[in-house]
Structures are given as structure tokens and as C-alpha cells.
Amino acid sequence: MSEFDLIRRHLTGLGSPRADVLVDVGDDCALLRVRDGQDVALTTDTLVSGIHFYPDCDPEALGWKSLAVNLSDLAAMGAEPAWVSLALTLPDADEGWLASFGRGFADLAKSTGVRLVGGDLTRGPLSITVQAQGLVPAGKALRRGGARPGDLVCVSGTLGDAGLALRQMAAGHAADASIRRRLERPTPRLRLGTALRGVATSAIDLSDGLLSDLGHILASSGCGADIERARLPLTSPVSAALSGESDWRLPLASGDDYELCFTLPPGLAARLPALAGSADCELTVIGSIVSEAGLRVLRPDGSEWTFGGRGFDHFRA
Amino acid sequence: MSEFDLIRRHLTGLGSPRADVLVDVGDDCALLRVRDGQDVALTTDTLVSGIHFYPDCDPEALGWKSLAVNLSDLAAMGAEPAWVSLALTLPDADEGWLASFGRGFADLAKSTGVRLVGGDLTRGPLSITVQAQGLVPAGKALRRGGARPGDLVCVSGTLGDAGLALRQMAAGHAADASIRRRLERPTPRLRLGTALRGVATSAIDLSDGLLSDLGHILASSGCGADIERARLPLTSPVSAALSGESDWRLPLASGDDYELCFTLPPGLAARLPALAGSADCELTVIGSIVSEAGLRVLRPDGSEWTFGGRGFDHFRA
């Protein structure tokens, strides 16, 4: 079966039909129409075999996750996802693998209103690049640079689950099903992102770990933050794993959670329960923005907790 | 130096500043504004080391080419290029390599009005995925499906140069400088693409070889074509290489030319010199569209030339 046949069979028509997609397959480019008054948010992320996932990773989960990590960036901007393109590099034309991958990708695309509008299938070491575009009312995108001293620092969901699943799997254990699902099928917080428009002063998604990602908000906003370790939202498997001081890197510095971290003016704290309800996820205040630069994590006794690593960085020496 | 530092130093601010780019770096997504009355054309292409280029390929040429192959798809739709994103996977943080790559990418981006608005840098086997977006007045995009019997089949530039350069290099010879440049620094035919709006009945870019790519026009348009082998536009190195019948695969079935193939109503033939002038490239009529399905290549004596292979297909058995 040829490249064109494989694409036609497994990678076309994925996701939700959309009236703003004028052409999705069968030409040199896709053609898309943007409604006046909407800005386009664009992001791209690559997953490489052996770096971001195990080579024997379930292809259906990989299809889901490769889309999810991109939609998470759209959520962090308050954008509604619309169109995605997929560049897939495979060592061989394994049709079963491709069918499973397409199924996982399509599951998430359908449930989030996304249409796959373009792609490229090439031979080579297994690697997946997704580029996603979302729409946001003009001028309403959430940015990283708007946090102000006094703002509350909030996170959605729980922290460290994906990191714990990965640690268990790296040690050769079977990961707990619930946290393994968090690693393999993260839920992009799209409804939260749109609910935070005009409410949050800044937002980012947690892909590299809280310290690293919140650090980007602080750098963009020109301020610092105090985080209370005891307030971090944890599932019971992660709580149980925190036997020593160094284990706190799980919720603070392990990646792949794909929750949102955002800042909220203190006067809007009363809105959190309603936001959590409309976004269908827990929201937790974990600290506050301060004018002094730097990110401090405070132990229950108020002393400062320090830790060498700050996040996941591919090329750090 | 960290991933973020490397991106900041070599992969930000590449290309032409544009007023419609509201955010390009430093946030979860880029933010773009589309003027009302414009459609967005979107394409993506991956280049993999060892498949699409030699691992020791000059990184500056690679930077140029990885953008050029995508802009060529925009040209084929009649779109003006606007924004690109770059997902780069590198085996190690080789700063010299990255600087050269960025230089080649930026050279073409600046000369074509394109802005790099997003990217991802990951560690892994060398691979480059570019996604490009262009703008075209609503409803004016060139499509593959509009060719009609009687239309002239035209191509820009010359055919087979890149294929010959690749053949010479694969045989361990130094390729002629002029044709090697055609392989390594192809010129996307952007001015031709916009000039063909409202004129050509169909268009495609020649990435996989004339027979394969023209075949897509014929399949989409539901017709056939007769091509006269003697009319194919050839440079002297390619002409000199055509010593036998099988060598005709060079201009007919080798890829990487990145010229445009398009169809023109016969009544518009007189416009070709003006189109060639405004696009600053040769345009040649090589045959015509016929109602009978299939693509026939005719020898100078009118007999039909046949050839087994039809193009480049990664996964064909």
C-alpha cells in the first residue's frame, strides 16, 4: 500500500467536520476561513520515540497524547481548538500501528471539535509533530506576562501523577492504572482556558513541571511567587510516594501533567468554585505573586525548600 | 546552554516582521490576525536525515530547503506566505549547526515576507518539520481539480536538475554547481502562484516528479493528459545525461524540482510570456489535457513512452 493510500485510509477525515474548513485533503494545502473578530493561536510540539515515550508505547495512547499536548497549549491561551496538522515519521508502513494511532488521535479530536486538516507521512525514526490552531476572540487571549503582586497562584487538577507513573514504569513496575492514564491520556483543560478569559491575569500549561513553567510566568510578568508546599493538590498515590524531602520534585518539577497554572486577582477568589464547576476540574490556590523576583517554595513551618533541578529541558548541560 | 537559550539565540525573530503577528515568541502559542476576506492556506512537510538529505548536508542549505519545500506548496495554491512554525529534532545541541541552519532558514524567510512564529526543539534523530501558512483572497485559491479537456499543461523552470544532482552525489561524484544549487536551494515559485490566480484552471508543485504530481491533477480533475517528451524544458546537464530511453525518468519521475505544473485554458496561451515575465521564470507548454483517463508521454515520433516508476513514494511496496 502506498503512502497516499495509507494517508487516505487512516489519516484523513479525522476529527470533527467544521464549516470553516474549505479544503482539508486532496490538495497542496488545506484552506481555512477565520471569522472576523477572531485571533488565531498556533502551537507545535514534537514527541520523539525514546525521548518522550517508550518505543513500545500503545499507539492509540500516543495518538491521543500527541494531540493533547498541543491542545493544552491552546487551553493556556484561552483558545478554542479548531484545526490541526500532523507530521508523522514511521520506520515502516505498519498499518495496524497507524490504524491504532489514528483511532486515539480521532477520539480526542472528535471530543474537542478539532479537524485534522493536513499532514505528512515520511519514513524514518518514529516521531510525531502536531501543529494545532485555535480561535480566540480578538484581544482576549490569556498571556504569560500579566501576573501582578498580590495575585493568587492557582493550578487545576493534581500535580505529579504523570511523573510518578513514569518513575514506576522506568523502575520496571506496572504503574497504577489511574496515574498511568494521566501520563498516557492527559486531558487538555480547554473549558478552563476559555472560562479564564477576562478573569486570569496570566496562564501557562504545565508540561515541564510547576517550577519551570511558573518560572516562565514570573519572568514574563517581572515578579516572583511564594508557593506553599502543603497546598499542592496531590492524588493519594503521589502523597504516598512523598516519603522524603527530595521526593517533592514529583509535584514540583516533573513534567507531563498538562494542567493549567494561572494567576487571579485576589478580589476574584470567590469565583474559583464556579470556575471549577464550569471547567469540571479541581482548582487550588497554591500561593501568591510577590514583587520580589524568584520562586520560593515554603515548607509547612514557613522555611524555604530548595531543590537543584527545576524542570525538564532537553539540552541543558 | 539550555533549550530555551538555544531557541532564544538562534530560532527567534527569524524572517520578516509582520503587523499581523501579535505574538510570536515567549508564550504558549503564537497569536495571528487574519484580515477579513482572506483564506488561510496551510501545509506541512518533514525532512528526515538519511531519507530526504545526507546526514552531512550543509545545515545552511537545509535551513533554506526545509522552508522552501513548504513555500512551494503555498505557491501551488496561489497563496502569499505569511507565517511558519518549525519543529526541529537534533541529536545534540550543536550550536554551530543551529546557527547555520537558522541563517539559511532566515535568508529565505526574509526574501519571501515570512515570519517564524512558533517552534519546538527536541533531542532525537535529526528531522525537520515545517508548517507554513499563507493568505489568499477568499475563493481565489488554485486547486488541483479544475483541469478541463483542451487545457494546456504547463511547467515552470526546468525539470530533472535536482534528480541529476542527487544521482551524481549518490555515485560519489561532485555534482555540477548549478544543478546542485537546484537540489539544495530550490526557489519556491511564489510570484508565479499569485499571478496564476483566476488564470490557471489547476496547479500543483513538483515535489515527487512530474508523472506523479500531474497524476494528482488528473485524478482530481477526472481527465487525462498527453505530454510531448520533446517539449520538456531541460538544462544542458540534464539533456547531456539523457543518453538512453530509461534516463527520461530524470525529468519525468525524479523529485525535488519544486517547479509548478499548471493547466491553462487554450484561449489564454497568449498570456504566457507576460506571466513568465512577472514570475521571473521560464514557462513551457508540454502537452494538453484530454478527456480520456491516463497520462501518456509521447516520443517525438508520436509513439507512447512507458516507464515503470512514476514518482517518489515513501511506503510503496
Coordinates of all heavy atoms in Angstrom, one line a residue, chain A residues 1-4 22-23 26-33 39-43 45-46 51 73 76-77 87 93 120-121 123 125 129 131 133 138 141 143-144 203-205 216 313-315, chain B residues 1-4 22-23 26-33 39-43 45-46 51 73 76-77 87 93 120-121 123 125 129 131 133 138 141 143-144 203-205 216 313-315:
Chain A
M1 N 0.8 -1.2 0.0 CA 0.0 0.0 0.0 C 0.9 1.3 0.0 O 1.9 1.3 0.7 CB -0.9 0.0 1.2 CG -2.0 1.0 1.2 SD -3.2 0.8 2.5 CE -3.9 -0.7 2.1
S2 N 0.5 2.2 -0.8 CA 1.4 3.4 -1.0 C 1.2 4.4 0.2 O 0.2 4.3 0.9 CB 1.1 4.1 -2.3 OG -0.1 4.9 -2.2
E3 N 2.1 5.4 0.2 CA 2.0 6.5 1.2 C 0.6 7.1 1.1 O -0.1 7.4 2.1 CB 3.1 7.5 0.9 CG 3.0 8.7 1.8 CD 4.1 9.8 1.3 OE1 4.8 9.5 0.3 OE2 4.2 10.8 2.0
F4 N 0.2 7.4 -0.2 CA -1.1 8.1 -0.4 C -2.2 7.3 0.1 O -3.2 7.8 0.7 CB -1.2 8.5 -1.9 CG -0.1 9.3 -2.4 CD1 0.8 8.8 -3.3 CD2 0.1 10.6 -1.9 CE1 1.8 9.6 -3.8 CE2 1.2 11.4 -2.4 CZ 2.0 10.9 -3.3
L22 N -12.5 24.7 4.4 CA -12.9 24.7 3.0 C -12.3 23.6 2.2 O -13.0 23.0 1.3 CB -12.6 26.1 2.3 CG -12.9 27.3 3.1 CD1 -12.5 28.6 2.3 CD2 -14.4 27.4 3.4
V23 N -11.1 23.2 2.5 CA -10.4 22.1 1.9 C -9.6 21.4 3.0 O -8.9 22.1 3.7 CB -9.4 22.6 0.8 CG1 -8.6 21.4 0.3 CG2 -10.2 23.3 -0.3
G26 N -6.4 16.3 -0.2 CA -6.5 16.2 -1.7 C -6.0 17.4 -2.4 O -6.3 17.6 -3.6
D27 N -5.3 18.3 -1.8 CA -4.7 19.4 -2.5 C -3.3 19.8 -1.9 O -2.9 19.1 -0.9 CB -5.6 20.6 -2.5 CG -5.6 21.3 -3.9 OD1 -4.5 21.6 -4.4 OD2 -6.7 21.5 -4.4
D28 N -2.6 20.8 -2.4 CA -1.3 21.1 -1.9 C -1.4 21.6 -0.5 O -0.4 21.5 0.3 CB -0.7 22.1 -2.8 CG -0.3 21.5 -4.2 OD1 0.8 21.0 -4.3 OD2 -1.1 21.6 -5.1
C29 N -2.5 22.3 -0.2 CA -2.6 22.9 1.1 C -4.1 22.7 1.6 O -5.0 22.5 0.8 CB -2.4 24.4 1.1 SG -0.8 25.0 0.6
A30 N -4.3 22.8 2.9 CA -5.7 22.9 3.4 C -6.0 24.4 3.2 O -5.2 25.3 3.2 CB -5.7 22.5 4.9
L31 N -7.4 24.6 3.2 CA -7.8 26.0 3.1 C -8.8 26.3 4.2 O -9.8 25.5 4.4 CB -8.6 26.3 1.8 CG -7.8 26.8 0.6 CD1 -8.8 27.0 -0.6 CD2 -7.0 28.1 0.9
L32 N -8.6 27.3 5.0 CA -9.3 27.6 6.2 C -9.9 29.0 6.2 O -9.2 29.9 5.7 CB -8.4 27.4 7.4 CG -7.6 26.1 7.4 CD1 -6.5 26.2 8.5 CD2 -8.5 24.9 7.6
R33 N -11.0 29.2 6.8 CA -11.6 30.6 6.9 C -11.7 31.0 8.3 O -12.4 30.3 9.1 CB -12.9 30.6 6.1 CG -13.5 32.0 6.0 CD -14.5 32.1 4.8 NE -13.8 32.0 3.5 CZ -14.5 31.9 2.4 NH1 -15.8 31.8 2.4 NH2 -13.9 31.8 1.2
D39 N -8.9 36.0 16.7 CA -7.4 35.8 16.5 C -7.1 34.3 16.4 O -7.9 33.5 17.0 CB -6.6 36.4 17.6 CG -6.6 37.9 17.6 OD1 -6.9 38.5 16.5 OD2 -6.4 38.6 18.6
V40 N -6.0 33.9 15.8 CA -5.6 32.6 15.6 C -4.4 32.3 16.6 O -3.4 33.0 16.6 CB -5.2 32.2 14.2 CG1 -4.6 30.8 14.1 CG2 -6.3 32.5 13.2
A41 N -4.6 31.3 17.4 CA -3.5 30.9 18.3 C -2.9 29.6 17.7 O -3.6 28.7 17.3 CB -4.0 30.5 19.7
L42 N -1.5 29.6 17.6 CA -0.8 28.5 16.9 C 0.3 27.9 17.8 O 1.0 28.7 18.4 CB -0.3 29.1 15.7 CG 0.6 28.2 14.7 CD1 0.5 28.8 13.3 CD2 2.0 28.2 15.2
T43 N 0.4 26.6 17.9 CA 1.4 26.0 18.6 C 1.9 24.7 18.0 O 1.1 24.1 17.2 CB 0.9 25.6 20.1 OG1 2.0 25.1 20.9 CG2 -0.2 24.6 20.1
D45 N 4.2 20.9 18.8 CA 5.0 20.1 19.7 C 5.4 18.8 19.0 O 4.5 18.2 18.3 CB 4.2 19.8 21.0 CG 4.5 20.8 22.1 OD1 5.7 21.0 22.4 OD2 3.6 21.4 22.7
T46 N 6.6 18.3 19.3 CA 7.1 17.0 18.8 C 7.2 16.0 19.9 O 7.7 16.3 21.0 CB 8.4 17.3 18.1 OG1 8.3 18.2 17.0 CG2 9.0 16.0 17.5
I51 N 12.5 9.4 23.7 CA 12.7 10.6 24.5 C 11.4 10.9 25.2 O 11.4 11.1 26.4 CB 13.1 11.8 23.5 CG1 14.3 11.5 22.7 CG2 13.3 13.1 24.4 CD1 15.7 11.5 23.4
D73 N -1.6 23.6 25.1 CA -1.1 25.0 24.8 C -2.2 25.9 24.4 O -2.2 27.1 24.8 CB 0.0 24.9 23.7 CG 1.3 24.4 24.3 OD1 1.7 24.8 25.4 OD2 2.0 23.7 23.6
A76 N -4.1 27.0 27.4 CA -3.3 28.0 28.2 C -3.5 29.4 27.7 O -3.2 30.4 28.3 CB -1.9 27.6 28.3
M77 N -3.9 29.5 26.4 CA -4.1 30.9 25.8 C -5.6 31.2 25.8 O -6.0 32.3 25.3 CB -3.6 30.9 24.3 CG -2.1 30.7 24.1 SD -1.1 32.0 24.7 CE -1.1 33.2 23.3
A87 N 2.5 15.7 11.3 CA 3.6 15.2 10.5 C 4.1 13.9 11.3 O 4.6 14.0 12.4 CB 4.7 16.2 10.4
A93 N 5.8 0.9 7.2 CA 4.4 1.1 6.9 C 3.6 0.1 7.7 O 3.0 -0.8 7.1 CB 4.1 1.1 5.4
D120 N 1.8 15.0 6.8 CA 2.8 14.4 6.0 C 3.2 13.1 6.7 O 3.3 13.0 7.9 CB 4.0 15.4 6.0 CG 5.1 15.0 4.9 OD1 4.7 14.3 4.0 OD2 6.2 15.5 5.0
L121 N 3.4 12.1 5.8 CA 3.8 10.8 6.3 C 5.1 10.5 5.7 O 5.3 10.4 4.5 CB 2.7 9.7 5.9 CG 3.0 8.3 6.4 CD1 3.0 8.2 7.9 CD2 1.9 7.4 5.8
R123 N 9.1 8.2 6.0 CA 9.8 7.1 6.6 C 11.0 7.6 7.4 O 11.7 8.4 6.9 CB 10.2 6.1 5.5 CG 10.8 4.8 6.0 CD 11.4 4.0 4.9 NE 10.5 3.4 3.9 CZ 9.9 2.2 4.1 NH1 10.1 1.5 5.1 NH2 9.1 1.8 3.2
P125 N 13.0 7.4 11.7 CA 12.8 7.1 13.2 C 11.5 7.7 13.7 O 11.2 8.8 13.4 CB 14.0 7.7 13.8 CG 15.0 8.0 12.7 CD 14.2 8.2 11.5
T129 N 5.0 15.1 15.0 CA 4.9 16.5 15.2 C 3.5 16.9 14.9 O 3.0 16.7 13.8 CB 5.9 17.3 14.3 OG1 7.2 17.0 14.7 CG2 5.7 18.8 14.5
Q131 N 0.8 20.2 14.9 CA 0.7 21.7 15.0 C -0.8 22.0 15.1 O -1.6 21.4 14.4 CB 1.3 22.3 13.7 CG 1.5 23.7 13.7 CD 0.4 24.5 13.1 OE1 -0.7 24.0 12.9 NE2 0.6 25.8 12.9
Q133 N -4.1 24.8 15.9 CA -4.5 26.1 15.8 C -5.9 26.3 16.5 O -6.8 25.4 16.3 CB -4.6 26.6 14.4 CG -3.3 26.6 13.7 CD -3.3 27.2 12.3 OE1 -3.3 28.4 12.2 NE2 -3.4 26.3 11.4
A138 N -10.8 38.4 19.5 CA -9.6 39.3 19.3 C -9.3 40.0 20.6 O -10.2 40.6 21.3 CB -9.9 40.3 18.2
A141 N -6.9 36.7 24.4 CA -6.1 35.6 24.7 C -5.4 35.8 26.1 O -5.1 36.9 26.5 CB -5.0 35.5 23.6
R143 N -2.3 35.5 28.5 CA -0.9 35.7 28.2 C -0.1 35.3 29.5 O -0.7 35.1 30.6 CB -0.6 37.1 27.8 CG -1.3 37.6 26.6 CD -0.9 36.9 25.3 NE 0.6 36.9 25.3 CZ 1.3 37.9 24.8 NH1 0.8 39.0 24.3 NH2 2.7 37.8 24.8
R144 N 1.2 35.2 29.3 CA 2.1 34.8 30.5 C 2.5 36.1 31.3 O 2.9 35.9 32.4 CB 3.3 34.2 30.0 CG 3.1 32.8 29.4 CD 4.5 32.2 29.0 NE 4.3 30.9 28.4 CZ 5.3 30.2 27.9 NH1 6.5 30.7 27.8 NH2 5.0 28.9 27.4
A203 N -1.6 32.9 32.4 CA -1.8 31.4 32.4 C -0.7 30.7 31.6 O -0.1 31.3 30.7 CB -3.1 31.1 31.8
I204 N -0.4 29.5 32.0 CA 0.5 28.6 31.2 C 0.1 27.2 31.5 O -0.6 26.9 32.4 CB 2.0 28.9 31.7 CG1 3.0 28.3 30.8 CG2 2.2 28.3 33.2 CD1 4.4 28.7 31.1
D205 N 0.5 26.3 30.6 CA 0.2 24.9 30.8 C 1.4 24.2 31.4 O 2.6 24.6 31.2 CB -0.3 24.1 29.6 CG 0.7 23.7 28.6 OD1 1.6 24.6 28.3 OD2 0.7 22.6 28.2
H216 N 8.3 30.7 33.9 CA 8.0 31.5 32.7 C 7.1 32.6 32.9 O 7.2 33.7 32.4 CB 7.5 30.6 31.6 CG 8.5 29.6 31.1 ND1 9.8 29.9 30.8 CD2 8.4 28.2 31.0 CE1 10.4 28.8 30.4 NE2 9.6 27.8 30.5
D313 N 14.4 20.0 30.5 CA 15.0 20.8 29.5 C 15.9 19.9 28.6 O 16.8 19.3 29.1 CB 15.8 21.9 30.1 CG 16.3 22.9 29.0 OD1 16.5 22.4 27.9 OD2 16.6 24.0 29.4
H314 N 15.5 19.7 27.4 CA 16.2 18.7 26.5 C 17.7 18.9 26.4 O 18.5 18.0 26.4 CB 15.6 18.7 25.1 CG 14.3 18.2 25.1 ND1 14.0 16.9 25.2 CD2 13.1 18.8 24.9 CE1 12.7 16.7 25.1 NE2 12.1 17.8 25.0
F315 N 18.1 20.2 26.4 CA 19.5 20.4 26.0 C 20.3 21.1 27.1 O 21.4 21.6 26.9 CB 19.6 21.3 24.7 CG 19.2 20.6 23.5 CD1 18.1 21.0 22.8 CD2 19.9 19.5 23.1 CE1 17.7 20.3 21.7 CE2 19.5 18.8 21.9 CZ 18.4 19.2 21.2
Chain B
M1 N 24.3 25.4 27.5 CA 23.1 26.3 27.2 C 21.9 25.5 27.1 O 21.8 24.4 26.6 CB 23.4 27.0 25.8 CG 22.5 28.1 25.5 SD 23.0 29.0 24.1 CE 24.6 29.7 24.6
S2 N 20.8 26.1 27.6 CA 19.5 25.3 27.7 C 18.8 25.4 26.4 O 19.0 26.2 25.5 CB 18.7 25.9 28.8 OG 18.0 27.0 28.4
E3 N 17.8 24.5 26.3 CA 16.9 24.5 25.2 C 16.3 25.9 24.9 O 16.2 26.4 23.8 CB 15.7 23.5 25.4 CG 14.6 23.5 24.4 CD 13.4 22.7 24.8 OE1 13.4 22.1 25.9 OE2 12.5 22.5 24.0
F4 N 15.8 26.5 26.0 CA 15.2 27.9 25.9 C 16.3 28.9 25.4 O 16.0 29.7 24.5 CB 14.7 28.3 27.2 CG 13.6 27.3 27.8 CD1 13.9 26.6 28.9 CD2 12.4 27.1 27.1 CE1 12.9 25.7 29.4 CE2 11.5 26.2 27.6 CZ 11.8 25.5 28.8
L22 N 0.7 39.1 16.3 CA 0.5 39.8 17.5 C 1.5 39.3 18.6 O 1.9 40.0 19.4 CB -0.9 39.6 18.0 CG -2.0 39.9 16.9 CD1 -3.4 39.7 17.5 CD2 -1.9 41.3 16.4
V23 N 1.8 38.0 18.6 CA 2.7 37.4 19.5 C 3.5 36.3 18.7 O 2.8 35.5 18.0 CB 2.0 36.6 20.6 CG1 3.0 35.9 21.5 CG2 1.2 37.6 21.5
G26 N 7.6 33.6 23.3 CA 7.5 33.9 24.7 C 6.2 33.6 25.3 O 5.9 34.1 26.4
D27 N 5.3 32.8 24.6 CA 4.1 32.4 25.2 C 3.7 31.0 24.8 O 4.5 30.4 24.1 CB 3.0 33.4 24.8 CG 2.1 33.7 26.1 OD1 1.6 32.8 26.7 OD2 1.9 34.9 26.4
D28 N 2.6 30.5 25.3 CA 2.2 29.1 24.9 C 2.0 28.9 23.5 O 2.2 27.9 22.9 CB 1.0 28.7 25.7 CG 1.3 28.5 27.2 OD1 1.8 27.4 27.6 OD2 1.1 29.5 28.0
C29 N 1.4 30.0 22.8 CA 1.1 29.9 21.4 C 1.5 31.3 20.8 O 1.7 32.3 21.5 CB -0.4 29.8 21.2 SG -1.2 28.3 21.8
A30 N 1.7 31.2 19.5 CA 1.7 32.5 18.7 C 0.3 33.0 18.5 O -0.6 32.2 18.6 CB 2.4 32.2 17.3
L31 N 0.1 34.3 18.3 CA -1.2 34.8 18.1 C -1.1 35.6 16.7 O -0.3 36.5 16.6 CB -1.6 35.8 19.2 CG -2.4 35.3 20.3 CD1 -2.7 36.5 21.2 CD2 -3.6 34.6 19.9
L32 N -2.1 35.3 15.9 CA -2.0 35.8 14.5 C -3.4 36.4 14.2 O -4.4 35.9 14.7 CB -1.8 34.7 13.5 CG -0.6 33.8 13.9 CD1 -0.5 32.5 13.1 CD2 0.7 34.6 13.8
R33 N -3.4 37.4 13.3 CA -4.7 38.1 13.0 C -4.8 38.0 11.4 O -3.9 38.4 10.7 CB -4.7 39.5 13.4 CG -6.1 40.1 13.2 CD -6.3 41.3 14.1 NE -6.4 41.0 15.5 CZ -6.5 41.8 16.5 NH1 -6.4 43.1 16.3 NH2 -6.7 41.4 17.8
D39 N -8.5 33.9 2.9 CA -8.5 32.5 3.4 C -7.1 32.1 3.8 O -6.1 32.7 3.3 CB -9.0 31.5 2.3 CG -10.5 31.6 2.1 OD1 -11.2 32.1 3.0 OD2 -11.0 31.3 1.0
V40 N -6.9 31.2 4.7 CA -5.6 30.7 5.1 C -5.3 29.4 4.4 O -6.1 28.4 4.5 CB -5.6 30.5 6.6 CG1 -4.3 29.9 7.1 CG2 -5.9 31.8 7.4
A41 N -4.2 29.3 3.8 CA -3.7 28.0 3.2 C -2.6 27.5 4.1 O -1.8 28.2 4.6 CB -3.1 28.3 1.8
L42 N -2.7 26.2 4.4 CA -1.8 25.6 5.4 C -1.2 24.3 4.9 O -1.9 23.5 4.3 CB -2.7 25.3 6.6 CG -2.1 24.5 7.8 CD1 -2.9 24.9 9.1 CD2 -2.1 23.0 7.7
T43 N 0.1 24.1 5.1 CA 0.8 22.9 4.6 C 1.9 22.5 5.6 O 2.3 23.3 6.3 CB 1.3 23.1 3.2 OG1 1.9 21.9 2.7 CG2 2.4 24.2 3.2
D45 N 5.5 19.8 5.9 CA 6.4 18.8 5.3 C 7.6 18.6 6.2 O 8.1 19.5 6.9 CB 7.0 19.4 3.9 CG 6.2 18.9 2.7 OD1 5.9 17.7 2.6 OD2 5.8 19.8 1.9
T46 N 7.9 17.3 6.2 CA 9.0 16.8 7.1 C 10.2 16.4 6.2 O 10.0 15.8 5.2 CB 8.6 15.6 7.9 OG1 7.5 16.0 8.8 CG2 9.7 15.1 8.8
I51 N 16.9 10.1 4.7 CA 15.8 9.9 3.7 C 15.8 11.0 2.7 O 15.8 10.8 1.5 CB 14.5 9.7 4.4 CG1 14.6 8.7 5.6 CG2 13.4 9.5 3.5 CD1 14.5 7.3 5.1
D73 N 4.4 24.5 -1.7 CA 3.0 24.1 -1.6 C 2.1 25.4 -1.6 O 1.0 25.3 -2.1 CB 2.8 23.3 -0.4 CG 3.2 21.8 -0.6 OD1 3.0 21.3 -1.6 OD2 3.8 21.3 0.4
A76 N 1.7 26.7 -5.0 CA 0.8 25.9 -5.9 C -0.7 26.2 -5.6 O -1.5 25.9 -6.4 CB 1.1 24.4 -5.6
M77 N -1.0 26.8 -4.4 CA -2.4 27.2 -4.1 C -2.6 28.7 -4.5 O -3.7 29.2 -4.3 CB -2.7 27.0 -2.7 CG -2.6 25.6 -2.2 SD -4.0 24.5 -2.8 CE -5.3 24.9 -1.7
A87 N 9.5 22.6 13.8 CA 9.8 21.6 14.8 C 11.1 20.9 14.4 O 11.1 20.3 13.4 CB 8.6 20.6 14.9
A93 N 23.0 19.4 21.1 CA 22.8 20.8 21.0 C 24.1 21.4 20.3 O 24.9 22.1 20.9 CB 22.7 21.4 22.4
D120 N 9.5 24.1 18.1 CA 9.8 23.2 19.2 C 11.1 22.6 18.9 O 11.4 22.3 17.7 CB 8.7 22.1 19.3 CG 8.8 21.3 20.5 OD1 9.4 21.7 21.5 OD2 8.3 20.1 20.5
L121 N 12.0 22.5 19.9 CA 13.3 22.0 19.7 C 13.4 20.8 20.6 O 13.2 20.9 21.8 CB 14.4 23.1 20.1 CG 15.8 22.7 20.0 CD1 16.2 22.4 18.6 CD2 16.7 23.8 20.5
R123 N 15.3 16.7 21.4 CA 16.5 15.9 21.1 C 16.0 14.6 20.5 O 15.1 14.0 20.9 CB 17.2 15.6 22.5 CG 18.5 14.9 22.3 CD 19.1 14.4 23.7 NE 19.5 15.5 24.5 CZ 20.8 16.0 24.5 NH1 21.7 15.5 23.7 NH2 21.1 16.9 25.3
P125 N 16.8 11.8 16.7 CA 17.4 11.7 15.3 C 17.0 12.9 14.5 O 15.9 13.3 14.5 CB 16.7 10.4 14.8 CG 16.2 9.7 15.9 CD 15.8 10.7 17.0
T129 N 10.5 19.4 10.7 CA 9.1 19.6 10.2 C 8.8 21.1 10.2 O 8.9 21.8 11.3 CB 8.1 18.9 11.1 OG1 8.4 17.4 11.0 CG2 6.7 19.1 10.7
Q131 N 5.8 23.9 9.2 CA 4.4 24.0 8.8 C 4.3 25.5 8.4 O 4.8 26.4 9.0 CB 3.5 23.7 10.0 CG 2.1 23.6 9.8 CD 1.3 24.9 10.1 OE1 1.9 25.9 10.2 NE2 0.0 24.7 10.1
Q133 N 1.9 28.7 6.6 CA 0.6 29.3 6.3 C 0.7 30.5 5.4 O 1.6 31.3 5.6 CB -0.1 29.7 7.6 CG -0.4 28.4 8.4 CD -1.1 28.8 9.7 OE1 -2.3 28.9 9.6 NE2 -0.4 28.9 10.8
A138 N -10.3 35.4 -0.5 CA -11.3 34.3 -0.4 C -11.8 33.8 -1.7 O -12.2 34.6 -2.6 CB -12.5 34.9 0.5
A141 N -8.1 30.6 -4.3 CA -7.0 29.6 -4.3 C -7.0 28.8 -5.5 O -8.1 28.4 -6.1 CB -7.2 28.8 -3.0
R143 N -6.6 25.3 -7.3 CA -6.9 23.9 -6.8 C -6.4 22.9 -7.9 O -6.0 23.3 -9.0 CB -8.4 23.8 -6.7 CG -9.1 24.7 -5.7 CD -8.6 24.5 -4.3 NE -8.8 23.1 -4.0 CZ -9.9 22.5 -3.6 NH1 -11.0 23.2 -3.4 NH2 -9.9 21.2 -3.3
R144 N -6.4 21.6 -7.5 CA -6.0 20.6 -8.4 C -7.1 20.1 -9.3 O -6.8 19.4 -10.3 CB -5.5 19.4 -7.6 CG -4.3 19.6 -6.8 CD -3.9 18.3 -6.0 NE -2.6 18.5 -5.3 CZ -2.1 17.6 -4.4 NH1 -2.8 16.5 -4.3 NH2 -1.0 17.9 -3.8
A203 N -3.4 23.7 -10.5 CA -1.9 23.8 -10.3 C -1.5 22.8 -9.2 O -2.3 22.4 -8.3 CB -1.6 25.2 -9.8
I204 N -0.2 22.4 -9.2 CA 0.4 21.6 -8.2 C 1.9 21.9 -8.2 O 2.4 22.4 -9.3 CB 0.1 20.1 -8.5 CG1 0.4 19.2 -7.3 CG2 0.9 19.6 -9.7 CD1 -0.1 17.8 -7.4
D205 N 2.6 21.6 -7.1 CA 4.0 21.8 -7.2 C 4.7 20.4 -7.4 O 4.1 19.4 -7.1 CB 4.6 22.5 -6.0 CG 4.7 21.6 -4.8 OD1 3.8 20.9 -4.5 OD2 5.8 21.7 -4.1
H216 N -1.9 13.6 -9.9 CA -2.8 14.1 -8.9 C -3.8 15.1 -9.5 O -5.0 15.1 -9.2 CB -2.1 14.8 -7.7 CG -1.3 13.8 -6.9 ND1 -1.8 12.7 -6.4 CD2 0.0 13.9 -6.5 CE1 -0.8 12.0 -5.7 NE2 0.3 12.7 -5.8
D313 N 7.6 7.7 -3.5 CA 6.6 7.3 -2.6 C 7.2 6.5 -1.5 O 7.8 5.5 -1.7 CB 5.5 6.5 -3.2 CG 4.3 6.2 -2.3 OD1 4.5 6.2 -1.1 OD2 3.2 5.9 -2.8
H314 N 7.2 7.1 -0.2 CA 8.0 6.5 0.9 C 7.6 5.1 1.2 O 8.5 4.3 1.5 CB 7.8 7.3 2.1 CG 8.4 8.7 2.1 ND1 9.7 8.8 2.2 CD2 7.9 9.9 1.8 CE1 10.0 10.1 2.1 NE2 8.9 10.8 1.9
F315 N 6.3 4.8 1.1 CA 5.9 3.5 1.6 C 5.4 2.5 0.5 O 4.8 1.5 0.9 CB 4.8 3.7 2.7 CG 5.4 4.3 3.9 CD1 5.0 5.5 4.4 CD2 6.3 3.6 4.7 CE1 5.5 6.1 5.5 CE2 6.8 4.1 5.9 CZ 6.4 5.4 6.3

